[in-house]
């Protein structure tokens, strides 16, 4: 299946361990994170993560569903970067 | 002045576990949890000492599978924590609610390579639903409440709470919250009216429908609703391994288990169906075989509480993320009564022409399948049957007539050898009034044999049956069928080993260890059965005795599990011998 770069936008609770869980979910499937950007939002208890991954659309769909299952993940969206 | 409830973090933990409704705590002590163990003699729940942390974790798992309530386990830091990883992974794969409390070195020592320090949060991340590292005594009550909430809501799973020793010793007046609110975790969502209508429409229009019921049916408590659906619209029911017991196999509509070692009727029905109603299952590769050819003639409805399970392996026509019981309650009132005489005739024909069966191979040698039939007869099909993993597990699915939910406990997803003995003990703690039978092979039994002591100490009515074929049967079977009969590493008896594994000297007894002597050394009554004529009486005596006992049955070493659809193959490639 064709692999493209997808940007995942995740809003997560700002707690220790959350980043490791999210990154582990992606790297545990053998996918390489190309860019990772984590920063605060206006709401100090929420962080935003931008993650660029090279993968197929099928894998990205699965990853998004599994990210949403995480206890500390508030919302995930994605878009293709080509 | 407001009355404060100042106590140590350890006391706050014990109080919180009581508030969470814990009745039995499984575990093993060590340096980093001594403050908690110091309080257990006065706690409002029973503590059960295992003999290895893996055993304690499987006991908590078996307790949860049998009772439906979360299993709880307490172990120390470092090796205590890491020994539970297989137990966590097993529970995680099968969606079993569990809360594991691990001790941790004091916060000030974390990251210093302190004695018995392991980064439990890092290690367990991939095999748990969630994990917490507590950083102050004040967090303990709320964390416990959240852990129990997460373990039991949505798709159930194991949750770890790692508590540094200094947090156990520090003082806190934090109270157990009356209500849990998690900002980001809201797994429950009801099905929409449009989804329910489409579900009913697909059922009403179908000519060759099949229900395919998984462990989610049992977790949701929806067995009766599945039966109602099946009977109202005359829909035959196949189950997964995890779904065994969700539908009575004595029912004419039962196709029994589907998948690699499932019945021909179940697999052919799914292959021929025009509608597959998949309930609480994840379309495991052990069930689907060749994905591109799976249920090609059927529309598929998939109901599961886990959004990530839908469309993961198999494309579906209608996916509903909701509680199965809720969905079926509504759907059942919208479907029409129906019969499918031609479809049922075909299915009855398959069941008659291809029942799962066995034939004796050598005169005077017990066939392993006979042992399972003897258990079914002796218990009237009412016992809680717990299996280990391998050939005996598959025979237990085939030759026991499953008819009650939470009465067949088995490591499905993870396939964990060593699960059977401790899980049976945990199950017996959940249902002390019930006969429990553990069915193990000689390979898996040796992995956690030490836990039999726990059953003896607590006088549990568990019968451990070790089906001894002198080899790792399922490995041997795959080597026979797919690896040109090179039995590398799979023969446990002295005879039959490859040259590189042969022992330097002949042993007097071909089977090592002597399982009967080993059981007796653990305090259990034990007997060895070799003669087929004595099998039924031995099983009957053990299961009606109400005592902890073990039966070792020496069986035909070359028996294989059939039918078999080789991994990744289509139903049409089923092997019968």
């Amino acid at each position: 299946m064709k692999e493209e770069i997808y940007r995942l936008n995740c809003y997560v609770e700002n707690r220790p361990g959350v980043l490791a869980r999210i990154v582990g979910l992606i790297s545990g499937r053998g996918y390489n994170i190309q860019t990772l950007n984590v920063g605060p939002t206006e709401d100090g208890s929420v962080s935003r993560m931008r993650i660029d991954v090279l993968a197929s659309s099928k894998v990205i769909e699965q990853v998004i569903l599994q990210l949403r299952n995480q206890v500390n993940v508030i919302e995930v969206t994605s878009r293709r970067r080509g | 002045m407001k009355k404060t409830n100042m106590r140590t973090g350890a006391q706050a933990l014990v109080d919180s576990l009581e508030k969470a409704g814990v009745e039995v705590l499984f575990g093993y002590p060590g340096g980093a949890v001594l403050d908690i163990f110091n309080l257990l003699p006065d706690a409002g729940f029973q503590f059960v000492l295992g003999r290895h942390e893996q055993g304690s974790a499987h006991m908590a798992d078996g307790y949860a599978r049998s009772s439906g309530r979360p299993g709880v386990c307490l172990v120390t830091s470092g090796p205590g924590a890491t020994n539970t990883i297989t137990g966590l992974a097993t529970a995680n794969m099968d969606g079993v609610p569990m809360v594991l409390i691990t001790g941790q070195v004091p916060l000030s020592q974390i990251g210093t390579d302190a004695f018995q320090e392991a980064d439990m949060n890092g290690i367990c991340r991939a095999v748990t639903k969630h994990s917490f590292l507590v950083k102050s005594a004040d967090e303990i009550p709320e964390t416990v409440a959240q852990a129990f909430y997460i373990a039991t809501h949505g798709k159930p799973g194991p949750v770890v709470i790692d508590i540094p020793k200094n947090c156990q010793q520090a003082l806190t007046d934090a109270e157990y919250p009356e209500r849990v609110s998690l900002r980001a975790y809201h797994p429950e969502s009801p099905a929409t009216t449009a989804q329910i209508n489409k579900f009913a429409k697909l059922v009403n229009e179908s000519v060759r429908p099949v229900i395919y019921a998984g462990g989610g049916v049992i977790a949701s408590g929806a067995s009766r609703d599945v039966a109602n659906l099946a009977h109202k619209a005359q829909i035959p029911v196949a189950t997964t391994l995890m779904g065994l017991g969700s539908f009575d196999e004595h029912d004419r509509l039962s196709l029994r288990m589907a998948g690699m070692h499932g019945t021909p009727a179940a697999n052919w029905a799914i292959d021929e169906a025009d509608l597959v109603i998949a309930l609480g299952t994840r379309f495991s590769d052990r069930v689907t075989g060749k994905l591109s050819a799976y249920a090609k003639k059927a529309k598929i409805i998939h109901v599961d509480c886990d959004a990530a399970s839908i469309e993961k392996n198999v494309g579906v026509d209608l996916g509903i993320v909701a509680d199965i019981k809720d969905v079926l309650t509504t759907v059942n009132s919208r479907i029409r009564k129906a019969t499918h005489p031609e479809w049922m005739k075909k299915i009855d024909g398959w069941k008659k022409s291809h029942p799962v069966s066995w034939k004796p191979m050598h005169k005077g040698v017990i066939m392993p399948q006979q042992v399972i039939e003897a258990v079914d007869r002796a218990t009237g099909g009412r016992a809680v049957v717990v299996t280990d993993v391998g050939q005996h597990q598959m025979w237990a699915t085939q030759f026991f007539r499953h008819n009650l939910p939470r009465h067949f406990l088995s490591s499905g997803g993870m396939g964990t050898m060593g699960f059977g003995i401790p899980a049976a003990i945990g199950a017996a703690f959940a249902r002390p009034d019930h006969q429990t039978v553990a069915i193990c092979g000689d390979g898996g039994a040796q992995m956690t044999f030490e836990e039999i002591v726990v059953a003896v100490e607590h006088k549990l009515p568990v019968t451990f049956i070790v089906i001894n074929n002198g080899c790792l049967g399922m490995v041997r079977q795959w080597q026979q069928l797919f690896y040109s009969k090179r039995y590398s590493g799979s023969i446990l008896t002295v005879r039959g080993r490859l040259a590189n594994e042969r022992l330097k000297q002949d042993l007097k007894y071909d089977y090592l260890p002597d399982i009967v002597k080993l059981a007796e050394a653990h305090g259990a009554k034990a007997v060895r059965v070799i003669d087929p004529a004595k099998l039924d009486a031995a099983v009957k005596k053990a299961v009606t005795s109400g005592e902890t006992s073990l039966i070792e049955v020496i069986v035909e070493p070359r028996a294989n599990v059939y039918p078999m659809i080789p991994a990744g193959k289509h139903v049409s490639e089923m092997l019968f011998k």
Side-chain angles (χ1 to χ4, degrees):
Chain A
M1 218 182 253
K2 200 173 110 192
E3 295 200 334
E4 292 173 287
I5 294 178
Y6 287 83
R7 170 162 291 181
L8 300 173
N9 253 308
C10 312
Y11 290 91
V12 303
E13 289 184 86
N14 180 8
R15 286 167 183 266
V18 178
L19 174 64
R21 259 189 182 268
I22 289 176
V23 169
L25 226 155
I26 296 167
S27 62
R29 298 163 156 266
Y31 291 91
N32 203 1
I33 291 172
Q34 310 221 323
T35 310
L36 173 65
N37 199 321
V38 186
T41 63
E42 282 179 9
D43 178 347
S45 65
V46 177
S47 300
R48 179 184 176 184
M49 298 182 186
R50 275 181 299 195
I51 309 169
D52 287 356
V53 197
L54 181 69
S56 69
S57 62
K58 176 99 184 142
V59 168
I60 290 293
E61 273 172 39
Q62 258 301 303
V63 166
I64 291 172
L65 289 170
Q66 297 202 335
L67 285 173
R68 285 187 185 141
N69 271 351
Q70 298 301 310
V71 170
N72 302 121
V73 173
I74 298 165
E75 183 47 42
V76 188
T77 55
S78 80
R79 68 185 171 85
R80 206 176 50 194
R81 300 203 67 210
Chain B
M1 205 175 86
K2 196 174 160 243
K3 207 173 114 201
T4 61
N5 182 18
M6 200 56 95
R7 70 265 195 247
T8 62
Q11 186 65 58
L13 173 72
V14 171
D15 294 348
S16 300
L17 293 177
E18 288 172 357
K19 287 259 170 61
V22 175
E23 287 173 355
V24 186
L25 173 68
F26 301 92
Y28 203 95
V33 284
L34 284 176
D35 290 275
I36 304 166
F37 271 83
N38 195 34
L39 302 170
L40 294 185
D42 303 317
F45 45 79
Q46 184 183 7
F47 173 71
V48 176
L49 175 70
R51 290 299 185 274
H52 185 295
E53 289 89 350
Q54 182 188 351
S56 295
H58 289 322
M59 282 179 207
D61 179 320
Y63 177 91
R65 287 181 204 240
S66 171
S67 67
R69 299 188 300 273
V72 191
C73 185
L74 167 66
V75 300
T76 192
S77 65
T82 57
N83 274 344
T84 64
I85 296 298
T86 305
L88 292 171
T90 305
N92 197 45
M93 276 284 244
D94 289 343
V96 178
M98 241 173 89
V99 174
L100 170 70
I101 296 142
T102 53
Q104 182 54 279
V105 301
L107 272 175
S108 60
Q109 288 182 25
I110 288 183
T112 65
D113 293 341
F115 178 66
Q116 294 194 328
E117 181 189 358
D119 172 13
M120 185 55 178
N121 257 275
I123 294 167
C124 75
R125 196 170 290 133
V127 294
T128 52
K129 186 170 174 188
H130 196 63
S131 57
F132 293 95
L133 171 62
V134 168
K135 294 180 83 178
S136 111
D138 295 335
E139 294 175 14
I140 289 173
E142 182 157 25
T143 305
V144 171
Q146 290 183 352
F148 277 86
Y149 181 91
I150 294 165
T152 53
H153 286 71
K155 181 177 178 178
V159 179
V160 169
I161 311 176
D162 201 25
I163 311 182
K165 184 159 180 164
N166 65 304
C167 300
Q168 300 167 25
Q169 293 167 334
L171 294 176
T172 177
D173 62 355
E175 293 290 349
Y176 192 78
E178 287 190 3
R179 197 170 293 164
V180 175
S181 79
L182 291 162
R183 178 177 194 166
Y185 190 66
H186 309 286
E188 270 90 18
S189 63
T192 65
T193 311
Q195 286 173 325
I196 297 290
N197 289 343
K198 188 168 177 196
F199 192 145
K201 186 163 175 278
L202 287 169
V203 172
N204 289 336
E205 286 170 356
S206 69
V207 183
R208 299 186 309 279
V210 172
I211 292 169
Y212 162 51
V217 170
I218 293 169
S220 165
S223 297
R224 194 159 294 167
D225 308 273
V226 170
N228 290 344
L229 172 65
H231 289 132
K232 191 167 179 188
Q234 200 180 41
I235 310 175
V237 183
T239 72
T240 66
L241 177 88
M242 295 302 300
L244 286 171
S246 64
F247 190 76
D248 185 351
E249 292 192 343
H250 298 97
D251 196 305
R252 183 192 166 201
L253 288 171
S254 173
L255 298 163
R256 313 192 64 200
M257 189 177 81
M260 181 177 276
H261 294 296
T263 65
N267 288 317
W268 289 339
I270 290 171
D271 194 47
E272 287 282 312
D274 69 347
L275 177 68
V276 171
I277 305 164
L279 304 169
T281 174
R282 58 197 171 82
F283 291 101
S284 141
D285 57 88
R286 282 293 182 270
V287 165
T288 60
K290 189 176 181 181
L291 268 179
S292 60
Y294 180 73
K296 271 294 146 210
K297 296 169 194 155
K299 291 196 167 151
I300 296 179
I301 301 172
H302 189 185
V303 187
D304 201 284
C305 64
D306 177 14
S309 275
I310 290 173
E311 299 263 4
K312 178 169 67 183
N313 297 330
V314 170
V316 301
D317 298 90
L318 173 63
I320 303 177
V321 183
D323 178 67
I324 296 163
K325 193 176 172 64
D326 290 350
V327 171
L328 290 190
T329 312
T330 333
V331 163
N332 283 346
S333 64
R334 310 265 171 102
I335 56 166
R336 283 195 297 272
K337 276 197 167 186
T339 55
H340 307 283
E342 269 183 50
W343 182 224
M344 285 311 296
K345 201 177 145 200
K346 200 163 196 180
I347 283 166
D348 289 341
W350 288 331
K351 285 207 259 188
K352 211 166 166 201
S353 65
H354 290 80
V356 282
S357 60
W358 57 271
K359 284 196 202 93
M361 290 170 79
H362 295 99
K363 199 170 183 306
V365 180
I366 297 175
M367 289 297 286
Q369 297 93 327
Q370 268 179 285
V371 184
I372 312 294
E373 289 181 346
V375 173
D376 198 3
R377 272 194 298 274
T379 60
R382 310 299 287 181
V384 175
V385 173
V386 187
T387 77
D388 210 83
V389 167
Q391 284 186 316
H392 68 275
Q393 177 189 29
M394 292 301 117
W395 286 316
T397 68
Q398 294 177 334
F399 295 97
F400 192 92
R401 288 282 171 162
H402 305 277
N403 57 87
L404 292 164
R406 300 196 183 282
H407 278 61
F408 179 76
L409 318 181
S410 195
S411 168
M414 202 67 200
T416 303
M417 284 175 69
F419 173 82
I421 288 172
I425 293 167
F429 274 103
R431 311 277 307 265
D433 53 325
H434 236 71
Q435 180 62 39
T436 303
V437 180
I439 298 173
C440 304
D442 46 323
Q446 289 180 53
M447 288 192 174
T448 46
F449 202 91
E450 75 287 344
E451 305 300 332
I452 284 180
V453 170
V454 181
V456 172
E457 283 175 344
H458 293 270
K459 295 187 167 39
L460 299 176
V462 184
T463 306
F464 298 97
I465 298 183
V466 179
I467 299 181
N468 192 347
N469 59 1
C471 63
L472 306 175
M474 192 58 94
V475 174
R476 201 209 65 90
Q477 176 170 345
W478 281 54
Q479 288 172 331
Q480 180 192 331
L481 298 175
F482 312 122
Y483 292 86
S484 53
K485 303 187 181 175
R486 238 162 101 91
Y487 301 120
S488 175
S490 60
I491 309 298
L492 302 180
T493 48
V494 178
R495 277 173 288 159
R497 290 194 186 197
L498 293 180
N500 68 317
E501 296 172 18
R502 210 152 283 158
L503 304 178
K504 294 280 185 295
Q505 66 202 47
D506 276 347
L507 298 167
K508 274 194 193 135
Y509 184 62
D510 199 34
Y511 292 82
L512 280 181
D514 183 326
I515 300 238
V516 168
K517 279 189 190 157
L518 194 57
E520 284 168 352
H522 285 70
K525 287 203 172 137
V527 60
R528 176 175 297 123
V529 181
I530 301 169
D531 180 357
K534 294 188 176 149
L535 177 63
D536 267 301
V539 173
K540 183 92 197 169
K541 188 179 169 200
V543 299
T544 51
S545 70
E547 292 181 325
T548 310
S549 63
L550 180 141
I551 306 174
E552 183 197 23
V553 189
I554 304 292
V555 300
E556 167 60 48
R558 284 187 291 277
N560 283 343
V561 183
Y562 293 114
M564 175 181 197
I565 304 170
K569 300 280 172 129
H570 180 243
V571 178
S572 57
E573 295 165 276
M574 195 183 296
L575 308 175
F576 292 97
K577 61 177 195 266

